[in-house]
Amino acid sequence: MKYIIAISITLLITGNRPIVAQVPSGVHGISLPLLSGSTISLDTLSTPLKAVVFLSPECPLCCNYTKVLNTFDSLYAHQVTIIGVFTGKGDSVADYQRFARKYEVRFKLATDTAKVLSAALHASVTPEVFLWNNLETVVYKGAIDNWALSLGKQRVRTTQHYLQNAIESYFAGREITPASTKAVGCYIHEQ
């Protein structure tokens, strides 16, 4: 009986959407320094969805995806907070700032030098995205789209827009499919 009640409550809360995972408790209370000089606390953001995308200034795919992420930041400005997170100690703040200027990044950029957030979310590559709602439910994780087949090998045309589909499906109350994909990119190394 408890199991049936738990399923019913879960379906009521998530609107019949599958849950990829709960945001790990290690994420709660994490504040990250923004490149702008202030800090951001992930659990106090007011938008219905939060998209954390792990980035590296050295990863060619991260460079290529800044345009897509800038578009999403404008398109979903009041619905989704997009945060690009540079993780580890392999690059400097100056490297991150050069990246932001070169690719005219308009979404928030933060650093996670101690890899607290990347470890809590089990991020493994850049760019990898985690999209969650105010109920602390990860509704999508993985690749931004299917343009990249592997490092150095891309499709001529993107045919699956995973992140955009997840955002639009969420707000339309539709099931998010797929809710999880394998991200392709540069490995987040132990540093």
Side-chain angles (χ1 to χ4, degrees), residues 151-170:
L151 279 178
K153 187 172 182 184
Q154 295 82 28
R155 296 178 195 281
V156 172
R157 177 177 293 146
T158 302
T159 59
Q160 297 289 317
H161 302 271
Y162 303 127
L163 179 57
Q164 184 173 18
N165 175 64
I167 293 168
E168 291 180 2
S169 293
Y170 181 84

Side-chain angles (χ1 to χ4, degrees), residues 41-171:
S41 180
L42 301 174
D43 54 356
T44 61
L45 297 172
S46 62
T47 54
L49 290 175
K50 296 98 179 122
V52 170
V53 183
F54 289 94
L55 300 172
S56 167
E58 302 301 318
C59 180
L61 290 176
C62 292
C63 303
N64 290 325
Y65 275 110
T66 56
K67 185 175 181 180
V68 172
L69 294 170
N70 276 338
T71 299
F72 290 168
D73 188 59
S74 296
L75 189 61
Y76 304 112
H78 302 292
Q79 299 169 302
V80 183
T81 300
I82 297 175
I83 307 163
V85 178
F86 297 107
T87 190
K89 297 178 183 177
D91 298 292
S92 69
V93 172
D95 294 327
Y96 304 146
Q97 290 169 336
R98 273 191 295 281
F99 177 91
R101 280 191 307 274
K102 181 175 182 178
Y103 298 103
E104 300 175 357
V105 174
R106 294 188 304 269
F107 52 93
K108 295 175 182 354
L109 291 173
T111 59
D112 179 26
T113 55
K115 294 179 150 185
V116 175
L117 184 59
S118 61
L121 291 172
H122 304 287
S124 59
V125 299
T126 62
E128 183 173 12
V129 64
F130 294 81
L131 181 69
W132 68 83
N133 64 19
N134 285 338
L135 299 172
E136 302 300 315
T137 302
V138 176
V139 296
Y140 173 75
K141 69 175 185 173
I144 295 168
D145 57 35
N146 73 341
W147 175 68
L149 297 167
S150 63
L151 279 178
K153 187 172 182 184
Q154 295 82 28
R155 296 178 195 281
V156 172
R157 177 177 293 146
T158 302
T159 59
Q160 297 289 317
H161 302 271
Y162 303 127
L163 179 57
Q164 184 173 18
N165 175 64
I167 293 168
E168 291 180 2
S169 293
Y170 181 84
F171 288 115

